[in-house]
Amino acid sequence: MSNPPIASLPVRSLTLRDLSACADLSEDRGWPREEHKWGLLLAAGTGYGIDDPAGGLVAVCVVTTYGPGQRPDLAAIGMVLVAERHARRGIGRRLMRHVVAEQGTTPLTLHATPYGQPLYEELGFKTTGRAEMVLGHFIPGGSASEVATRPATAEDLPAILRLDEEVFGSDRTHMITRLPAFADQLRVAEADGLITGYAAAWPNMATHVVGPLIARDTETAKALIASLAAGTDRPLRTDIDVRHEELLAWAKRHGLAPTAFNAVMTHGIPELPGDWNRRFAPLTVAAG
C-alpha cells in the first residue's frame, strides 16, 4: 500500500520523546541541533509536528503561551521548520494555519527571518519591530560600571517574577522558574535593596545566549551583559531590540558583531504588551 500524500498527513502534538527528531530536523535545515533549547521549549510549551512516513518529522513548530492557563493572553510561535526534502510544497503553510487556528483568539507573536516573513504576512501577521542578533567574544574595557550586579539566589525569584511580568506584560512563571536549571548563569542588578534588572546566559552549542535581558535602563543592561561575559570563555550571542540603539552600539564596540536581523511580528494585537524600554532581549526568539 502506498503512503498517503504528505500534504494530507495529520498534525500531532509533540512531547519530549520527540526531542531528537526535532534536533534532526534542525540539522536537516542547516541549523545547529540545539537540543538544550528544544528540551526547554518542549517542556514549557506545546510542540506541533507532522510525521514523515519514511521516518522522522516533515515539519515542526513550538508554541509557548503566557498568562492564565485556560485563557492565555499571549502565545509565541517559534522553531518553524520543514524538512528540506519537502520544502516549497505548502507544508509549512498548512502547519502554521493549523497552529494559528488552534490558538483561537489568543494574540500571537513570532520572530521571522526574511525567508519566513512572506508566509507569516500571508497569515495575517504584521511587522511591529525588529531585533538584531550580535555575536562574539566580549571585550571588556572602559570605565567601571556603577551598577551593582550579583548572582541571583532562590530568594530573588519572587522579585524576578514580579519584575518580569511587569516588563514582559504577561505572566511567564512557567518559563522563568526553569531558568536556574536551564541557564549557566542568572544574575540580578540591584539598587537600594531592590532588583532593577536580571539576565541569564544559557548554553547553546559553542555560545552562551544572553536572554532574557530586562533592566531599568541601558546602563543596567550593559552591567548585566558585562557581568555575564566575565563568567564565561564562550562567545556571547543575544538578540537586541533595535530601538535600544545605545546598547547595540556599546555591544559592537565590545566585540559583538552584527549577524542577522529578525522581524518581530504580531497577530491580533498592534504591538507587544509590556514595557519595551526595559525589555532589551528575549529569553530566546523562539519563545519571546
Side-chain angles (χ1 to χ4, degrees):
M1 182 179 295
S2 61
N3 289 322
I6 292 294
S8 67
L9 294 172
V11 178
R12 68 170 176 90
S13 296
L14 302 177
T15 72
L16 283 169
R17 292 191 297 273
D18 296 297
L19 191 154
S20 292
C22 290
D24 289 344
L25 189 52
S26 290
E27 249 181 358
D28 174 77
R29 293 315 305 252
W31 292 17
R33 289 184 65 83
E34 298 186 306
E35 292 187 9
H36 187 59
K37 182 170 76 173
W38 274 113
L40 174 72
L41 295 172
L42 291 173
T46 301
Y48 295 87
I50 299 174
D51 289 309
D52 189 334
L57 289 162
V58 172
V60 297
C61 76
V62 180
V63 178
T64 311
T65 57
Y66 301 110
Q70 298 305 311
R71 298 189 63 184
D73 44 38
L74 185 68
I77 300 174
M79 307 303 282
V80 181
L81 286 166
V82 176
E84 176 64 36
R85 61 192 179 279
H86 298 301
R88 295 169 292 280
R89 294 169 62 181
I91 296 166
R93 179 179 292 103
R94 174 167 168 257
L95 178 61
M96 280 296 299
R97 287 189 187 280
H98 175 90
V99 168
V100 170
E102 282 277 300
Q103 303 313 306
T105 59
T106 301
L108 308 175
T109 184
L110 55 78
H111 282 65
T113 65
Y115 178 81
Q117 190 171 345
L119 168 60
Y120 305 134
E121 289 173 346
E122 178 185 322
L123 296 173
F125 284 83
K126 307 293 184 185
T127 298
T128 55
R130 293 179 83 209
E132 183 173 3
M133 180 191 294
V134 290
L135 168 67
H137 284 282
F138 183 86
I139 303 170
S143 57
S145 174
E146 296 181 0
V147 177
T149 73
R150 60 171 175 79
T153 68
E155 289 73 24
D156 294 322
L157 192 54
I160 290 173
L161 289 170
R162 286 193 297 270
L163 176 62
D164 187 82
E165 183 172 358
E166 180 183 332
V167 174
F168 187 74
S170 185
D171 179 11
R172 51 178 179 171
T173 297
H174 66 300
M175 183 67 82
I176 302 307
T177 52
R178 286 178 163 88
L179 279 179
F182 178 71
D184 285 342
Q185 296 186 71
L186 179 61
R187 297 186 67 87
V188 296
E190 198 170 35
D192 300 321
L194 297 175
I195 290 177
T196 59
Y198 83 96
W202 51 271
N204 186 260
M205 311 306 289
T207 70
H208 269 122
V209 176
V210 175
L213 175 56
I214 284 177
R216 72 176 179 182
D217 53 33
T218 302
E219 292 306 310
T220 302
K222 292 177 184 177
L224 285 165
I225 292 176
S227 66
L228 291 170
T232 180
D233 293 328
R234 297 186 188 188
L236 293 186
R237 197 188 91 200
T238 190
D239 297 85
I240 298 174
D241 186 319
V242 297
R243 291 172 290 186
H244 292 295
E245 296 176 357
E246 182 183 348
L247 183 65
L248 274 168
W250 173 86
K252 292 170 185 177
R253 289 197 303 272
H254 287 269
L256 305 189
T259 301
F261 285 96
N262 283 327
V264 180
M265 308 187 78
T266 58
H267 184 289
I269 47 173
E271 59 184 3
L272 289 174
D275 180 5
W276 76 264
N277 290 284
R278 292 182 287 165
R279 185 177 60 235
F280 288 83
L283 193 163
T284 163
V285 296

